[in-house]
Amino acid sequence: MSDCIFCKIIAGEIPSAKIYEDELVYAFLDISPINFGHTLVIPKEHHQSAATIPEETAGRMFRIASRIGILLKRLDEFDAYNLHLADGSAAGQVVMHAHLHVIPRGAEDGFRWNWRQLKYPEGKMMEIAEEISAKLKEKITQ
Ligand code: AMP
Ligand code: ZN
């Protein structure tokens, strides 16, 4: 896609700190990292949403991201890593070329997800589960 910053990075039109590339995916350092080594793994083909990425490419993204996470732990003595994907602007997606963040984490790195914990009203949890499950079944068999 001609006006996509990540497509331009893949094409070499914009510089990037590349750490991995194969026929399906490209991985490079995030320019504004949560911790140093924070990496983005992207499909070479332009997809705005993760939902349209072909299964083989999506699987490769996940595998490479996990490998990078494990390597970051060894290299920089991080304790753990997060994989994060924002799908849609309300979820925090800023660059509209799907990307998987690999975020190296230390127990004392000072970063916390602002993760709230709501409570379901009585009966609502099962109602929602059944609704999603039925719709998902329709989609998958389509
Ligand atoms: P998101 O909010 O999930 O869409 O994340 C987009 C990420 O892309 C942000 O963490 C940015 O720091 C990163 N980013 C934007 N432009 C570049 C670039 N030219 N090189 C590397 N990372 C970038
Ligand atoms: Zn793109």
Side-chain angles (χ1 to χ4, degrees):
M1 207 192 189
S2 60
D3 62 347
C4 168
I5 187 170
F6 286 178
C7 282
K8 286 183 178 159
I9 283 177
I10 293 163
E13 292 163 17
I14 291 177
S16 70
K18 178 174 100 171
I19 60 170
Y20 177 81
E21 180 177 15
D22 64 28
E23 78 283 13
L24 297 177
V25 308
Y26 189 97
F28 58 108
L29 295 186
D30 193 299
I31 205 162
S32 308
I34 287 176
N35 283 318
F36 292 162
H38 179 162
T39 297
L40 301 173
V41 181
I42 63 177
K44 280 194 163 170
E45 202 173 82
H46 180 90
H47 291 270
Q48 177 166 332
S49 168
T52 62
I53 300 172
E55 198 166 331
E56 190 188 359
T57 306
R60 185 76 59 86
M61 284 172 67
F62 195 81
R63 184 165 176 77
I64 294 303
S66 306
R67 287 278 169 94
I68 291 169
I70 289 165
L71 206 75
L72 287 170
K73 283 207 296 178
R74 289 199 198 121
L75 285 181
D76 288 319
E77 296 174 5
F78 286 105
D79 302 307
Y81 61 92
N82 285 112
L83 296 184
H84 170 79
L85 189 148
D87 205 312
S89 49
Q93 184 177 9
V94 173
V95 177
M96 293 300 161
H97 181 129
H99 49 280
L100 189 53
H101 293 258
V102 188
I103 305 161
R105 299 298 310 280
E108 308 295 335
D109 68 5
F111 178 75
R112 293 286 171 269
W113 299 103
N114 186 13
W115 194 299
R116 68 179 178 189
Q117 295 186 304
L118 301 177
K119 294 248 179 291
Y120 284 102
E122 184 70 28
K124 193 72 182 169
M125 195 172 175
M126 287 313 293
E127 186 189 314
I128 291 175
E130 278 159 21
E131 187 189 355
I132 295 171
S133 166
K135 289 202 175 128
L136 198 60
K137 225 172 266 168
E138 274 171 37
K139 286 270 175 210
I140 287 172
T141 52
Q142 262 172 19

